[in-house]
């Protein structure tokens, strides 16, 4: 199970009830941030989420609303004497950005390892239980969206194994690890005794126009969080600003066959009560859609 908490759902200019973009993502003991706009630290505090437990931060692109909170976030981790490493990922330039600024602002002793990596399209993090991959988006600045993909969950078929007298134990683990095991002189193949379950898939676009790379990356996702800066009647404005309309987001969700779509990154021209217009636009293309709000929590 994973949980997503929206820390900011505004676009370039924050509003009283909408902060700059940021998403807190939790999967088992792993906690990540996707984008880190200005004031993300305070949003984390209000949501009662610990910045010290976040192990990886993924920045989509270098528009200030998506990364101006990063330096303060790193600084606070030093002041709190964090000891666990912190990994920061972003487009080309993230390394010099963090290194240059940290040289100027860093105070006190280095209590943890700060690892900064420039991402390319493809797998960025490969852990035993999951991967995080980057895909190119279409925006006025080069950027990447991110895909969290839980690996297939393997289950030993207990019912079937008990039938042949094999109770849960180390051989179950061997079968799940893909090994053929021997039991009462008989060879048991994983293909016959292990079932596979699709893992959770979460996709966050950051800022983007509707584009094929998102449709491809989001294929079959459980949750797609898509740029939805404008309503359909402002589609010209959306094209000029290289953003998506809510209807664009709906179309991507439909073509990618996702389970649920969340709209975010709303223009300041829409007040809270006007966001229903964007929801209705998206619903013309895709039914299972909701509008994100700051501090909204969603389970995947
Ligand atoms: Zn933005
Ligand atoms: Zn942008």
């Amino acid at each position: 199970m994973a949980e997503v908490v929206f820390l900011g759902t505004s676009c370039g200019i924050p509003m009283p009830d909408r902060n700059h973009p940021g998403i807190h993502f939790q999967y088992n003991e792993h906690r990540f941030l996707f984008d880190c706009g200005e004031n993300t630290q305070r949003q984390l505090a209000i949501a009662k989420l610990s910045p010290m437990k976040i192990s990886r931060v993924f920045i989509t692109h270098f528009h200030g609303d998506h990364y101006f909170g990063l330096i303060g976030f790193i600084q606070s981790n030093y002041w709190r004497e964090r000891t666990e490493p912190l990994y920061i990922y972003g487009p080309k330039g993230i390394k010099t950005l963090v290194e240059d600024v940290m040289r100027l602002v860093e105070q006190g002793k280095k209590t943890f390892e700060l690892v900064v990596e420039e991402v390319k399209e493809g797998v960025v993090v490969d852990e035993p239980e999951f991967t995080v991959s980057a895909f190119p988006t279409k925006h006025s600045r080069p950027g990447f969206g991110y895909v969290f993909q839980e690996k297939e969950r393997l289950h030993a078929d207990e019912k079937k194994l008990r039938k042949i007298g094999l109770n849960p134990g180390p051989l179950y683990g061997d079968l799940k690890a893909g090994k053929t095991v021997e039991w009462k002189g008989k060879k048991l193949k994983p293909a016959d005794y292990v079932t596979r379950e699709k893992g959770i898939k979460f996709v966050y676009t950051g800022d983007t126009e509707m584009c094929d790379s998102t449709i491809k990356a989001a294929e079959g996702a459980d949750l797609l969080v898509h740029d939805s800066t404008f309503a359909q009647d402002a589609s010209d404005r959306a094209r000029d600003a290289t953003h998506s309309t809510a209807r664009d987001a709906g179309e991507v969700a439909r073509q990618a066959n996702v389970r649920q779509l969340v709209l975010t990154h709303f223009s300041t021209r829409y007040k809270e009560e006007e966001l229903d217009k964007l929801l209705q636009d998206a619903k013309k293309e895709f039914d299972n859609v909701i509008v994100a709000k700051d501090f909204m929590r969603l389970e995947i």
Side-chain angles (χ1 to χ4, degrees):
M1 197 200 78
E3 186 198 49
V4 170
V5 182
F6 291 84
L7 300 169
T9 58
S10 189
C11 64
I13 314 279
M15 292 174 78
D17 53 354
R18 281 184 230 150
N19 199 60
H20 275 165
I23 291 175
H24 184 276
F25 178 86
Q26 183 175 359
Y27 169 73
N28 297 337
E29 75 278 20
H30 306 278
R31 293 175 190 221
F32 308 149
L33 263 186
F34 289 97
D35 278 337
C36 187
E38 188 184 321
N39 199 40
T40 293
Q41 290 194 76
R42 191 146 185 279
Q43 298 293 89
L44 285 168
I46 295 168
K48 297 190 167 40
L49 296 165
S50 168
M52 301 279 274
K53 289 183 179 162
I54 293 166
S55 56
R56 303 176 194 270
V57 182
F58 300 88
I59 302 294
T60 55
H61 67 296
F62 295 127
H63 275 148
D65 49 326
H66 296 259
Y67 78 98
F68 278 176
L70 186 59
I71 301 305
F73 176 79
I74 297 168
Q75 174 77 86
S76 296
N77 273 280
Y78 278 114
W79 280 340
R80 289 181 151 115
E81 301 194 345
R82 176 191 180 108
T83 52
E84 294 297 305
L86 177 63
Y87 296 84
I88 314 271
Y89 307 87
K92 192 171 165 48
I94 187 93
K95 237 181 146 91
T96 39
L97 170 92
V98 174
E99 283 167 7
D100 286 354
V101 180
M102 289 318 293
R103 240 194 310 277
L104 294 172
V105 302
E106 194 184 298
Q107 294 169 26
K109 57 181 191 289
K110 281 193 168 179
T111 57
F112 66 93
E113 192 191 358
L114 182 61
V115 185
V116 188
E117 287 185 22
E118 296 182 340
V119 304
K120 292 193 184 93
E121 182 177 1
V123 175
V124 177
V125 178
D126 191 352
E127 290 280 316
E129 296 168 285
F130 65 86
T131 56
V132 180
S133 310
F135 63 94
T137 46
K138 199 174 165 193
H139 191 48
S140 55
R141 297 225 67 179
F144 293 97
Y146 293 99
V147 178
F148 171 90
Q149 174 71 69
E150 182 189 23
K151 291 183 180 172
E152 269 187 336
R153 275 171 278 182
L154 302 179
H155 306 281
D157 192 335
E158 198 178 325
K159 217 170 146 189
K160 215 167 162 185
L161 288 163
R162 278 188 191 276
K163 259 191 183 160
I164 57 165
L166 182 54
N167 293 326
L171 290 184
Y172 277 48
D174 288 347
L175 279 167
K176 283 205 295 183
K179 291 180 196 158
T180 298
V181 302
E182 227 178 279
W183 173 246
K184 291 185 178 167
K186 205 181 148 203
K187 280 196 173 15
L188 311 182
K189 287 186 189 150
D192 299 329
Y193 294 96
V194 173
T195 57
R196 291 167 183 276
E197 192 186 343
K198 193 175 149 275
I200 290 164
K201 184 172 179 178
F202 163 71
V203 181
Y204 170 56
T205 63
D207 293 358
T208 187
E209 288 183 57
M210 183 170 73
C211 62
D212 288 344
S213 58
T214 306
I215 296 169
K216 200 171 142 210
E219 176 62 38
D222 296 285
L223 185 65
L224 167 64
V225 178
H226 199 289
D227 177 330
S228 178
T229 310
F230 296 101
Q232 192 56 26
D233 58 12
S235 60
D236 288 351
R237 178 80 190 91
R239 300 290 166 261
D240 287 349
T242 61
H243 282 293
S244 297
T245 65
R247 188 159 179 171
D248 292 337
E251 190 172 336
V252 170
R254 180 174 53 73
Q255 288 198 40
N257 214 4
V258 308
R259 189 163 60 76
Q260 187 175 28
L261 168 67
V262 179
L263 308 176
T264 190
H265 198 271
F266 306 115
S267 163
T268 50
R269 64 168 70 184
Y270 307 111
K271 295 196 177 67
E272 176 85 31
E273 59 274 17
E274 290 169 291
L275 292 177
D276 188 57
K277 185 175 161 178
L278 277 71
L279 183 70
Q280 298 313 322
D281 281 349
K283 276 193 186 245
K284 290 192 176 106
E285 298 288 341
F286 186 78
D287 210 40
N288 192 12
V289 51
I290 55 173
V291 164
K293 285 184 174 48
D294 283 26
F295 305 115
M296 183 174 91
R297 288 171 184 257
L298 274 184
E299 277 186 11
I300 309 176

